[in-house]
């Protein structure tokens, strides 16, 4: 009963997470765009598109990977194996987060970034036709996103073990970094309580 209730709350949780993530990405990219040259703005845009492609690959790989090889690695205490197993066991949610939440949010943000770049270019070079530039840049962003995801799908399915292995290792180290920060805060609090 509890698992069913938790599953029913998933759409609400993911909606809130998407909202907060979208705002965060928009704020960060807006700050970056305002403080960089046009060339760097394009790099930020390409970076955002690449993030979307990367998470799409992870989202597909997690649904096609088998957890069996990771059990042997986990039994040997190899870093990231436990995290890889957790990813595969939660494939539905991980895929939803990677493909839908991050992928769609990044898609929307990249469209907004393209519009911001067009505005910056038109303000700096008044002779440029903003409608034509907007069409070209929107076409480039769409082509890069769709083409990159199409190329990534085959890689995700054929190399799912390697991708999930690397994702598990990355999560392991991210957890260690955050656990270290939390541990330091707890240690400081204990010392101040004495």
């Amino acid at each position: 009963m509890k698992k069913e209730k938790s599953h029913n709350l998933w759409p609400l949780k993911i909606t809130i997470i998407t909202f907060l993530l979208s705002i965060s990405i928009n704020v960060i990219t807006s700050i970056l765009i305002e403080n960089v040259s046009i060339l760097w703005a394009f790099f930020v845009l390409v970076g955002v598109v690449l993030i979307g492609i990367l998470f799409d690959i992870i989202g597909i790989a997690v649904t096609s990977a088998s957890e069996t090889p990771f059990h042997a690695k986990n039994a040997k205490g190899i870093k990231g194996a436990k995290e890889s197993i957790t990813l595969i066991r939660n494939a539905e949610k991980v895929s939803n987060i990677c493909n839908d939440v991050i992928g769609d949010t990044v898609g929307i943000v990249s469209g907004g970034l393209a519009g911001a770049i067009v505005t910056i270019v038109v303000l700096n070079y008044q002779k440029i036709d903003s409608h034509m530039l907007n069409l070209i840049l929107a076409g480039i962003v769409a082509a890069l996103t769709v083409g990159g995801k199409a190329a990534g799908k085959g890689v995700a399915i054929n190399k799912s073990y390697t991708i999930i292995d690397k994702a598990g290792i990355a999560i392991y180290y991210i957890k260690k970094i955050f656990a270290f920060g939390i541990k330091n805060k707890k240690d400081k609090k204990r010392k101040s309580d004495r």
Side-chain angles (χ1 to χ4, degrees):
M1 183 73 177
K2 189 176 180 182
K3 191 172 184 180
E4 187 179 315
K5 188 176 180 182
S6 173
H7 187 71
N8 289 339
L9 289 176
W10 177 249
L12 177 62
K13 288 178 185 176
I14 209 67
T15 301
I16 293 167
I17 290 168
T18 304
F19 176 74
L20 296 173
L21 182 68
S22 179
I23 288 173
S24 302
I25 292 173
N26 270 308
V27 167
I28 291 166
T29 53
S30 293
I31 290 168
L32 287 173
I33 290 290
E34 288 174 6
N35 297 312
V36 296
S37 67
I38 295 169
L39 180 63
W40 281 105
F42 280 110
F43 284 130
V44 170
L45 176 60
V46 170
V48 169
V49 170
L50 290 176
I51 288 169
I53 293 168
L54 174 67
F55 276 93
D56 193 67
I57 290 169
I58 294 169
I60 292 166
V62 79
T63 59
S64 60
S66 168
E67 70 179 75
T68 306
F70 293 105
H71 287 292
K73 289 180 84 169
N74 191 34
K76 293 176 186 174
I78 295 174
K79 296 170 183 172
K82 182 180 174 186
E83 289 74 13
S84 295
I85 292 167
T86 302
L87 285 172
I88 294 167
R89 286 186 178 168
N90 294 291
E92 182 183 341
K93 289 181 179 178
V94 172
S95 177
N96 182 231
I97 289 169
C98 290
N99 296 106
D100 300 327
V101 176
I102 296 173
D104 292 350
T105 301
V106 163
I108 292 164
V109 169
S110 63
L113 281 174
I117 290 170
V118 168
T119 303
I120 293 168
V121 170
V122 169
L123 288 174
N124 289 322
Y125 308 98
Q126 282 86 19
K127 292 181 181 179
I128 292 177
D129 181 8
S130 63
H131 297 296
M132 185 57 70
L133 182 61
N134 198 24
L135 284 172
I136 291 169
L137 197 52
I140 290 170
V141 169
L144 286 175
T145 302
V146 173
K149 288 184 177 186
K153 283 185 183 3
V155 173
I157 292 167
N158 296 324
K159 304 280 186 186
S160 61
Y161 170 80
T162 305
I163 292 164
I164 298 307
D165 183 45
K166 301 295 182 209
I169 292 167
I171 292 169
Y172 171 83
Y173 283 110
I174 290 168
K175 282 169 60 177
K176 267 195 99 106
I177 291 166
F178 282 105
F180 180 75
I182 291 168
K183 185 179 176 184
N184 280 346
K185 285 180 184 177
K186 286 181 181 177
D187 289 343
K188 286 178 185 176
K189 187 176 181 190
R190 283 186 199 138
K191 287 177 184 176
S192 66
D193 290 344
R194 289 179 188 169

